[in-house]
Amino acid sequence: MRKGWWWWWTAPLGASLALAAAHGDAAELRRLEVTPAPGGATAVLLLSAPVRATVRDVAAADGTPARVYVDLPRGTRLGRGALRAVRASAPVGRARVGVGERGQVRVVLDLESPATYRVQGDGRRLAFAFAALAERPAPAAPAPTPTVRAPPLHPRPRIVLDPGHGGHDPGARGYAVEKDVTLAIAKRLAVLLRESLDADVVLTRSADTTLPLAARTERANAEGADLFVSIHANASPRRQRHGVETYYLDNAHDRGTIRLAAMENGLSLPTPARGGAELRYIVSDLVQAAKMEESIALATAVQRGLVDHVGARYRGVADLGVKRGPFYVLVGAYMPCVLVETSFLTNPTEGRRLAAPAYRDAVAEGIETGVARFLADARRARTL
């Protein structure tokens, strides 16, 4: 788009907006800011050069946008200013920036109340004007009727299991290969969940196939899953590292978690620069805030079940706890989701155990125990 030429556009749901841009060196997203405005708020993306951006939204139940996201072209860099926390302003509830597995920068704007928006592009500046809509009056209360509790989302729990890596992506290597270990555990876990919970279980891959990270949660969303569990095996340059840990999606700041996330996201750890590492691969917590509490509860139940079950059968199982981490495979899931690091492939003891079917079966049984506990607690909560 030529500088000085303004394009105002009111976005229909699910539509896409392409802003023409000059070719040349990759642009840098320098800042994202949200500021109050009369009747709503304005979100502005400031770039170093014009870009071709794609704007889409996700509709809420009432047809108004619930989330607006902007994809910038591959190669767009993240400036330090773009990684700073963004203060929200109604109707914008949260604003986040992340980098996808293929290097594409995405900006996500979550709306906390009904609103419309329009987009204004002017060279290096992309602005979103959000106008809050008046809340619709609640319908008159119907005549009293006998209370009937709402049934669960599905009569049978629908669970998507994601065996990490696969195909051209072997994952971590040690005394076994991660892609083989995760597939074996997931297949056994699927059998256990069907037998014990009568669950409807779907695997994101059932063979040694290559599957992009984004396609895994897309599959879970398409299946309307109640839970998403991604199964992995850990690795460390320090062979003595061992134990079990379970993650939910969120930003993290400790170096160990960041290194692990980089490995699982298929990215290399950037070299620290002055003022700290440039964590360009970090993906913000793009899970719906409403599911965060449930994801933490699921992670806690799975971790407890795994540690207790495997620890009762094998010596030296270390409980590394429930942690938060920026794992791209969990991004975009509309249901409670966790990533399980079953044990360390690089540890002489745990690596050899993961190579053995008996240990992998025990891991699957422990995860099944945790999932069953979480679902039982959720059912009790619904009946209170």
Side-chain angles (χ1 to χ4, degrees):
M1 182 178 298
R2 291 174 297 179
K3 187 174 181 180
W5 190 68
W6 295 71
W7 187 354
W8 285 90
W9 181 74
T10 301
L13 295 178
S16 170
L17 170 66
L19 298 174
H23 295 286
D25 294 338
E28 178 181 85
L29 176 60
R30 292 181 170 171
R31 192 160 74 251
L32 167 64
E33 56 188 26
V34 178
T35 56
T42 301
V44 176
L45 283 66
L46 297 176
L47 298 116
S48 63
V51 299
R52 176 175 290 274
T54 302
V55 180
R56 296 187 178 90
D57 56 44
V58 179
D62 63 359
T64 61
R67 169 179 293 170
V68 177
Y69 61 93
V70 187
D71 286 331
L72 301 176
R74 191 179 306 176
T76 301
R77 304 186 306 274
L78 280 181
R80 291 189 181 277
L83 295 174
R84 295 171 183 160
V86 180
R87 183 169 298 181
S89 180
V92 179
R94 286 200 302 173
R96 281 86 40 81
V97 180
V99 180
E101 60 176 314
R102 297 179 181 175
Q104 187 176 50
V105 172
R106 171 171 288 185
V107 176
V108 178
L109 304 168
D110 288 321
L111 304 184
E112 63 184 14
S113 57
T116 60
Y117 70 96
R118 54 183 180 177
V119 185
Q120 171 192 355
D122 176 28
R124 301 173 184 177
R125 183 177 183 273
L126 183 60
F128 294 78
F130 292 93
L133 294 176
E135 296 283 351
R136 295 188 179 97
T145 56
T147 301
V148 179
R149 297 195 182 277
L153 186 59
H154 298 113
R156 301 166 59 197
R158 186 169 298 167
I159 302 169
V160 171
L161 302 179
D162 173 46
H165 308 277
H168 300 307
D169 174 17
R173 297 175 185 267
Y175 290 85
V177 180
E178 184 175 8
K179 67 175 183 178
D180 300 328
V181 169
T182 60
L183 183 58
I185 292 173
K187 285 184 173 180
R188 178 58 182 159
L189 178 56
V191 171
L192 294 172
L193 291 171
R194 290 173 183 134
E195 290 178 349
S196 65
L197 301 176
D198 191 30
D200 180 7
V201 183
V202 176
L203 271 66
T204 57
R205 66 179 181 95
S206 55
D208 186 20
T209 53
T210 304
L211 190 64
L213 294 178
R216 298 169 189 256
T217 46
E218 287 174 2
R219 176 71 182 276
N221 291 337
E223 294 286 347
D226 298 313
L227 302 177
F228 178 80
V229 179
S230 189
I231 300 168
H232 291 257
N234 222 327
S236 173
R238 294 182 293 165
R239 287 161 53 92
Q240 69 270 28
R241 283 283 307 228
H242 67 287
V244 177
E245 54 194 359
T246 306
Y247 287 85
Y248 62 93
L249 181 65
D250 201 353
N251 280 333
H253 302 287
D254 71 277
R255 189 71 173 173
T257 297
I258 289 169
R259 188 178 296 277
L260 174 61
M263 179 179 70
E264 297 295 6
N265 291 342
L267 301 163
S268 59
L269 191 69
T271 303
R274 291 182 181 178
E278 184 187 5
L279 305 178
R280 292 176 54 194
Y281 61 86
I282 292 295
V283 180
S284 295
D285 51 323
L286 303 182
V287 71
Q288 294 177 347
K291 299 299 180 185
M292 181 68 73
E293 187 175 341
E294 295 172 65
S295 292
I296 295 172
L298 174 60
T300 302
V302 167
Q303 179 72 9
R304 183 79 274 131
L306 190 52
V307 170
D308 288 352
H309 186 85
V310 178
R313 289 156 180 78
Y314 293 86
R315 297 180 60 182
V317 175
D319 182 359
L320 301 182
V322 172
K323 303 176 181 179
R324 58 181 185 171
F327 295 94
Y328 189 75
V329 72
L330 302 181
V331 169
Y334 295 154
M335 71 292 301
C337 55
V338 297
L339 183 146
V340 185
E341 292 286 356
T342 52
S343 291
F344 280 77
L345 286 163
T346 47
N347 178 269
T349 299
E350 290 190 348
R352 291 187 177 96
R353 286 175 178 175
L354 283 170
Y359 186 78
R360 296 196 297 261
D361 287 353
V363 168
E365 291 161 6
I367 297 174
E368 183 274 331
T369 299
V371 170
R373 181 179 299 159
F374 170 81
L375 291 174
D377 290 344
R379 289 192 195 99
R380 278 196 295 272
R382 281 197 296 268
T383 61
L384 293 177

